[in-house]
Structure formats: C-alpha cells, structure tokens
C-alpha cells in the first residue's frame, strides 16, 4: 500500500482500556492529556495512528445497563453510546496541543476485502498528509462475539500491517511481558527482547485485564501478525506518565518483539 507523501516514520500506538482509565472506572482525562502531550513532542519525527479501546468504559461513566459483562448486545449498545463521548475527550485533549483528530471505525471483515483495504489505506494516508491523527476503534456496534478483537490488539496489528507502519507500540498496564519465574517469585522481570514467539508463549498467562478483553495472549497474537509483516512491536507500560517519550529515550523497560 502507498504510504503517502510524508517522509516521517509511521508509528501506530494502541491504547487499551486499562491505560485510558488508569485502572479506574472512568476514562482518565489526565492520561489523554499525557498522550496528547507526547504526540505533540514527537510529531516532527512520527506520523501517528492511534488504535484506541475505551468506548464501553466511557459509556459506563454515565449509563448503567444490566448484563454488561455477559451480554454482547449490551456491550455493543454501550459502545455505541460511549464512542462519541470517547472521541470528544480525545478531541478536547489533542486540540489543546494544537493537534487535529479524526475517527475511523473498522471491523474484521474490512481486512478480508482488497477494495476495502485499499480504501482504508488511501483514506488514512490523506488524513496523515493533511495533519490529522486517525483515532481507530473496532466498530463494536456491528461486531459479533466470534469476531471480536482481543481488546483491539489484533486490530492494531492488522492496521499496522495494512498501513506498513515502521513501529507498533502497545500500551498496557505492565512493563512489557514478564518472565513466568519472576512472577511466581513476586518480583516481575521484563523480557526485554524477543525473536522466538513460540518460546514467549510459555512465559505468559491467559489472565485478562479488568476493563479490557485482551491480555498477554492477545498481544502474542498481535506480535505474530506484526512479525510476519516485518514490523517491530514494543509492549510498554502506558500507566506511567510520558511513557512513550521516555521509552523511546530508553528510560522505561519494555518488551521488544523483533521483526
């Protein structure tokens, strides 16, 4: 796919629900301001594409529906309610940094159709060329349980591959992936660099996060997609302030899945 006219590197940043809520019950405006500030600091080096979860979490702030944890239709309804609110929060935070945002909703089926893939790639290239940051989320309203992305990790990987990004960063609530032995010992130790994903699978837990639908398993699945497409993946702790800027500087620990 053509990358457009920009000479800057493309960086896809995936923000999970736990990062955006700071592990609370509401979207954190402070964290959105932190993300916006970092994008502003790095915008001369990177064109940013953001894949964001959080629509359901945004709706939960002011809507109470029953069976939300077990009923996919209720989750879809909450996503429909929360998505415009989530985008408003992004727009407010980013506009304070002089940044322009746009919304793109994608579904799994979009990646199975060549014409749709081309349309997505062309549209996002136009947005980037004109200084807009695409904020991408799954189109939860039309998704079914069988094709749900794992907390958007798979969506991030598929989008990164389609757009031929230079780097994919998944922000989560840990300092990357920890060794199983260190977790058992109660002193988490980050696996800093990975090439063999089969070996990495033995180190991870199937546990899912409190707000998101993913976990480290979905991140490994994303890593497999990215590795096949020769894209490097960083798994970083998005709960830390300035997490991306300081990870790029080498200050914070991260897991790097080599391409």
């Amino acid at each position: 796919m053509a990358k457009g006219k920009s000479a800057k590197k493309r960086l896809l940043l995936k923000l999970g629900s736990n990062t955006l809520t700071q592990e609370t019950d509401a979207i954190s405006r402070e964290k959105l301001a932190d993300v916006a500030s970092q994008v502003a600091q790095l915008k001369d080096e990177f064109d940013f594409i953001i894949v964001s979860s959080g629509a359901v979490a945004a709706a939960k702030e002011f809507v109470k529906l029953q069976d939300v944890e077990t009923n996919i239709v209720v989750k879809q309804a909450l996503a429909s309610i929360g998505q415009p609110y989530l985008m408003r929060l992004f727009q407010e935070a980013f506009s304070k940094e002089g940044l322009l945002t746009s919304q793109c909703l994608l579904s799994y089926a979009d990646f199975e159709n060549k014409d749709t893939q081309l349309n997505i790639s062309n549209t996002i290239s136009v947005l980037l060329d004109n200084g807009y940051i695409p904020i991408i989320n799954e189109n939860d309203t039309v998704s079914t349980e069988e094709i749900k992305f794992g907390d958007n990790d798979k969506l991030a990987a598929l989008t990164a591959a389609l757009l031929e990004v230079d780097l994919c960063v998944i922000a989560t609530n840990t300092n990357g992936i920890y060794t199983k032995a260190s977790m058992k010992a109660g002193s988490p130790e980050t696996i800093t660099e990975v090439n063999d994903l089969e070996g990495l699978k033995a180190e991870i837990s199937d546990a899912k996060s409190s707000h998101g639908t993913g976990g480290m398993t979905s991140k490994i699945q994303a890593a497999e997609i990215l590795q096949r497409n020769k894209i490097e993946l960083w798994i970083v702790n998005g709960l830390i302030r300035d997490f991306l800027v300081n990870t790029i500087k080498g200050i914070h620990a991260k897991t790097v899945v080599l391409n």
Side-chain angles (χ1 to χ4, degrees):
M1 301 290 178
K3 278 196 174 186
K5 64 185 180 182
S6 175
K8 292 186 285 186
K9 294 180 180 178
R10 283 187 176 181
L11 190 157
L12 186 144
L13 172 63
K14 184 265 177 175
L15 301 169
S17 297
N18 275 291
T19 296
L20 288 174
T21 61
Q22 294 285 270
E23 298 189 311
T24 68
D25 292 325
I27 299 295
S28 169
R29 289 140 179 91
E30 181 181 359
K31 176 49 61 178
L32 282 174
D34 175 39
V35 173
S37 172
Q38 294 180 79
V39 171
Q41 292 176 60
L42 297 168
K43 67 179 181 180
D44 290 338
E45 183 178 356
F46 297 102
D47 279 330
F48 277 88
I49 299 122
I50 295 177
V51 172
S52 174
S53 302
V56 173
K60 284 180 179 179
E61 278 192 53
F62 51 89
V63 177
K64 304 298 180 185
L65 298 181
Q66 294 182 342
D67 300 324
V68 64
E69 300 305 325
T70 58
N71 192 322
I72 185 67
V73 177
V74 174
K75 286 185 178 180
Q76 289 172 315
L78 279 176
S80 177
I81 295 166
Q83 182 63 28
Y85 180 56
L86 177 65
M87 282 305 304
R88 180 162 66 84
L89 294 177
F90 264 105
Q91 188 174 39
E92 289 174 354
F94 278 53
S95 64
K96 289 178 181 178
E97 298 288 344
L99 301 170
L100 301 170
T101 57
S102 61
Q103 174 183 266
C104 299
L105 296 179
L106 303 178
S107 63
Y108 188 85
D110 294 330
F111 294 90
E112 297 178 341
N113 183 294
K114 292 295 184 182
D115 289 337
T116 306
Q117 288 182 36
L118 182 60
N119 288 338
I120 294 168
S121 180
N122 289 342
T123 299
I124 291 178
S125 290
V126 169
L127 289 169
L128 294 174
D129 288 343
N130 286 277
Y132 282 81
I133 299 166
I135 311 292
I136 299 170
N137 199 352
E138 183 184 2
N139 192 354
D140 291 304
T141 313
V142 300
S143 297
T144 62
E145 192 167 16
E146 288 77 20
I147 61 172
K148 287 287 291 178
F149 294 112
D151 198 30
N152 282 344
D153 292 327
K154 184 178 179 183
L155 174 62
L158 290 170
T159 304
L162 177 62
L163 301 177
E164 299 179 342
V165 305
D166 298 284
L167 174 65
C168 181
V169 178
I170 293 180
T172 185
N173 56 354
T174 62
N175 297 324
I177 299 176
Y178 300 136
T179 65
K180 185 176 287 187
S182 68
M183 289 291 287
K184 288 181 178 179
S187 181
E189 179 182 330
T190 300
I191 301 170
T192 57
E193 195 171 281
V194 177
N195 196 355
D196 175 21
L197 291 178
E198 290 303 315
L200 187 61
K201 290 177 183 179
E203 297 285 351
I204 65 170
S205 166
D206 289 332
K208 294 185 178 181
S209 54
S210 57
H211 287 282
T213 59
M216 285 304 167
T217 298
S218 69
K219 289 165 182 57
I220 300 301
Q221 293 168 347
E224 289 175 328
I225 295 169
L226 293 167
Q227 198 173 64
R228 286 198 301 270
N229 288 276
K230 309 298 182 184
I231 297 171
E232 187 169 294
L233 168 65
W234 295 2
I235 301 173
V236 306
N237 192 336
L239 300 180
I240 302 170
R241 186 171 181 81
D242 291 326
F243 65 92
L244 183 58
V245 169
N246 287 331
T247 301
I248 288 173
K249 291 179 179 178
I251 295 173
H252 295 318
K254 65 180 179 295
T255 296
V256 177
V257 180
L258 300 172
N259 56 13

